[in-house]
Amino acid sequence: MLNREEEALLKKLKRSEQRLIAAYKLVALGTWDWDLVTNEQAWSDKTYEILGVDSNVVVTRELFESLLHPDDLDYVREKLEQGISQEDDITYGFRIIRPNGEERYIYSHLTFEKDEQGKKVRVLGTNQDITDQKRAEHALRESEERLKAAQSLVNLGCWDWDLKTNKQIWSNETYRIFGIDSAIEPSRTLFENLIHPDDLERTQAATQEGIDAGVDFNFEFRIILPNGVERYISTHVGIKSDEEGNSIRLLGTNQDITEQKEIELRIIHQAYHDPLTQLPNRMKLNQELESLLQQGESAGHPFAILWVDLDYFKQINDNHGHLAGDAVLQEVAKRLNAQIQRGDLVARVGGDEFIIMLQSAGDAQKLNSCAQKILKEFQQPILFENLLLRVGTSIGGAVYPLHGNSVESLFRAADTALYQVKEGGRNAYILAQLEN
């Protein structure tokens, strides 16, 4: 018979065991016991379940090791030997292959009992099936790797800017795009030092506007890498705000769009330039003249055009071939470009016709001076394959707003003056006459 005190202790022990069993079930924890002296083992029902073995099967060490993944067998043996030889408990993970062929990940913790001489004689262990967590980790790792690969493939880098602490975090791809060693701590100053000087103020303004408005934004800018190479960057910025609506964090992506931008610029260049001479074509000229007309109307700023036609160019093509003619046109383009100032423009508008837009020659005297320099320049022959080829220039001029207040009227006035030059013997300059 148990006395009251012993009965109370027994009930307390049973409650403790029940709580322990409940805890094991809650975390799907299996227990096992291995007597190192007799080599006998005992498994809990949960351990049988975790290992996928029928609970009627006799437990042995050989049975357990037969369940281990071949690649993990030596590792588990080494961990056990390590645990027996050291003082502390050990924890490790391994894989098993259940009798039905299913692979599972197991997390195990071992503790040891010693005899009176301090020799370890018993192993008490727990096994927990962590397959779902492992697969989730693996899926996350694969997802992260795919994201990194995708970001690298499209030259996409990520960054994070905490506006309260002013701390920034850059992804590895962002460092690569910027040509910066990943050991360097990112900062706004480091970023702004990379921005092309012509784009810095615009980039700062776009960023501040986004922060003030608390609205996501996009823009493009150029950077100059530490090695001096210029790259084009497209950025998208997401704004995170606090409960009061204040912007507290910027999450952004930077994409290197240099190749796309170069293709785009090439297409635009081809659309607005002559393929042979690389001079602006009539479309580009018209755009620039329309812009000047708007400025002229608002500010009263005069400007002028010269219509230049090559004399005797057809004879060069007929006598020496189109290769010679092309070489002459390319040299003409160079010489005409050499006569203009910043902001002026030379365009090829026909086979042997060019129009020069002059912003700073808004009166007859300046225009005449420019035309005379061109006439003198083409007194010198053009060298092509040991041949000295000669072309002259017939030039008609018109001034805005003196000879017209539209592109068409200026063209008409300069073309009429050019016709008069050709009628008068070529190789000369005439300013358009005022209409009555």
Side-chain angles (χ1 to χ4, degrees):
M1 293 288 293
L2 299 175
N3 58 38
R4 290 182 180 180
E5 185 177 348
E6 289 173 335
E7 285 180 354
L9 288 172
L10 183 59
K11 288 180 180 180
K12 187 176 181 181
L13 178 61
K14 286 182 178 180
R15 285 198 300 269
S16 178
E17 288 176 346
Q18 289 170 352
R19 285 197 296 268
L20 181 61
I21 291 171
Y24 283 167
K25 288 181 178 180
L26 186 64
V27 295
L29 204 65
T31 60
W32 53 274
D33 181 329
W34 180 18
D35 189 317
L36 297 177
V37 178
T38 65
N39 203 32
E40 292 178 352
Q41 289 201 21
W43 293 355
S44 69
D45 290 343
K46 191 63 181 179
T47 293
Y48 275 105
E49 180 186 332
I50 290 172
L51 299 181
V53 177
D54 190 289
S55 59
N56 294 320
V57 175
V58 177
V59 179
T60 65
R61 186 64 185 176
E62 289 72 24
L63 172 62
F64 171 70
E65 290 192 345
S66 71
L67 298 170
L68 292 173
H69 191 290
D71 293 342
D72 294 353
L73 176 58
D74 290 340
Y75 168 73
V76 173
R77 286 174 174 171
E78 288 173 6
K79 294 301 291 185
L80 179 60
E81 291 175 2
Q82 177 186 337
I84 292 174
S85 63
Q86 68 181 30
E87 289 297 321
D88 300 328
D89 294 357
I90 61 168
T91 302
Y92 59 98
F94 55 92
R95 291 166 295 171
I96 63 166
I97 299 177
R98 287 176 172 174
N100 63 4
E102 183 183 7
E103 182 177 296
R104 309 293 291 182
Y105 289 86
I106 307 299
Y107 181 78
S108 190
H109 177 84
L110 308 186
T111 188
F112 300 88
E113 285 188 6
K114 299 177 182 179
D115 61 15
E116 295 177 355
Q117 287 73 40
K119 180 180 179 181
K120 291 183 178 179
V121 294
R122 190 179 181 196
V123 185
L124 301 173
T126 60
N127 287 334
Q128 185 177 17
D129 189 331
I130 59 169
T131 304
D132 291 342
Q133 299 97 303
K134 274 290 184 181
R135 287 174 178 169
E137 290 172 7
H138 183 67
L140 177 60
R141 189 161 53 249
E142 282 191 337
S143 176
E144 290 174 344
E145 289 173 354
R146 284 195 297 269
L147 178 60
K148 288 179 181 178
Q151 289 177 344
S152 178
L153 187 64
V154 297
N155 296 324
L156 188 70
C158 302
W159 52 270
D160 183 332
W161 181 14
D162 188 320
L163 297 178
K164 288 187 174 181
T165 64
N166 205 32
K167 293 291 185 181
Q168 292 201 13
I169 299 173
W170 293 358
S171 69
N172 289 335
E173 188 64 17
T174 293
Y175 275 105
R176 191 196 66 76
I177 289 172
F178 290 161
I180 299 294
D181 190 323
S182 59
I184 298 175
E185 183 176 356
S187 66
R188 189 65 184 177
T189 302
L190 176 62
F191 167 67
E192 291 187 346
N193 285 340
L194 295 168
I195 298 175
H196 192 291
D198 294 342
D199 295 350
L200 178 57
E201 185 175 343
R202 179 171 57 83
T203 299
Q204 290 172 329
T207 303
Q208 193 59 52
E209 288 173 9
I211 292 173
D212 294 341
V215 178
D216 296 359
F217 59 98
N218 307 282
F219 62 96
E220 295 180 2
F221 59 96
R222 291 166 295 170
I223 61 171
I224 300 177
L225 301 181
N227 62 6
V229 174
E230 183 178 301
R231 305 293 289 179
Y232 288 85
I233 306 298
S234 173
T235 191
H236 172 79
V237 183
I239 305 289
K240 299 297 180 182
S241 304
D242 60 17
E243 294 178 355
E244 286 76 35
N246 300 312
S247 299
I248 58 173
R249 189 178 178 194
L250 272 58
L251 300 172
T253 60
N254 287 330
Q255 185 175 20
D256 187 331
I257 58 168
T258 304
E259 284 70 24
Q260 302 96 301
K261 199 69 179 178
E262 287 176 347
I263 292 172
E264 177 187 325
L265 293 173
R266 218 163 28 238
I267 292 172
I268 293 174
H269 182 85
Q270 291 170 356
Y272 289 99
H273 290 79
D274 169 56
L276 177 63
T277 62
Q278 296 304 309
L279 291 175
N281 56 21
R282 186 184 286 268
M283 187 183 301
K284 178 67 173 176
L285 173 67
N286 286 350
Q287 285 187 354
E288 294 297 324
L289 285 173
E290 289 291 351
S291 177
L292 273 185
L293 284 171
Q294 291 178 8
Q295 296 175 31
E297 290 173 358
S298 60
H301 180 70
F303 64 90
I305 64 170
L306 292 175
W307 196 311
V308 180
D309 186 87
L310 300 183
D311 300 328
Y312 314 114
F313 177 72
K314 185 176 183 300
Q315 287 89 325
I316 292 176
N317 266 340
D318 292 344
N319 295 332
H320 303 289
H322 288 287
L323 288 179
D326 289 349
V328 167
L329 290 172
Q330 290 170 336
E331 178 61 23
V332 168
K334 291 179 183 177
R335 293 188 183 187
L336 291 178
N337 261 329
Q339 300 302 315
I340 63 174
Q341 299 177 10
R342 183 180 178 86
D344 297 340
L345 181 146
V346 179
R348 185 185 178 197
V349 296
D352 59 355
E353 293 181 288
F354 302 82
I355 292 179
I356 305 175
M357 180 189 80
L358 299 162
Q359 292 195 48
S360 57
D363 61 61
Q365 185 176 354
K366 289 181 179 178
L367 192 58
N368 179 68
S369 175
C370 184
Q372 295 304 322
K373 288 179 180 178
I374 292 172
L375 290 169
K376 183 178 180 180
E377 177 65 34
F378 284 94
Q379 291 176 2
Q380 300 298 320
I382 295 173
L383 179 64
F384 172 73
E385 293 184 352
N386 298 322
L387 294 173
L388 292 177
L389 305 177
R390 295 184 179 276
V391 291
T393 51
S394 297
I395 307 172
V399 177
Y400 168 85
L402 188 62
H403 300 108
N405 55 10
S406 69
V407 173
E408 291 76 14
S409 60
L410 290 172
F411 281 171
R412 196 162 49 245
D415 188 41
T416 299
L418 174 63
Y419 179 77
Q420 293 174 346
V421 172
K422 287 186 171 291
E423 287 292 301
R426 304 172 185 261
N427 199 36
Y429 160 71
I430 289 180
L431 179 65
Q433 300 298 311
L434 294 176
E435 295 182 0
N436 296 324

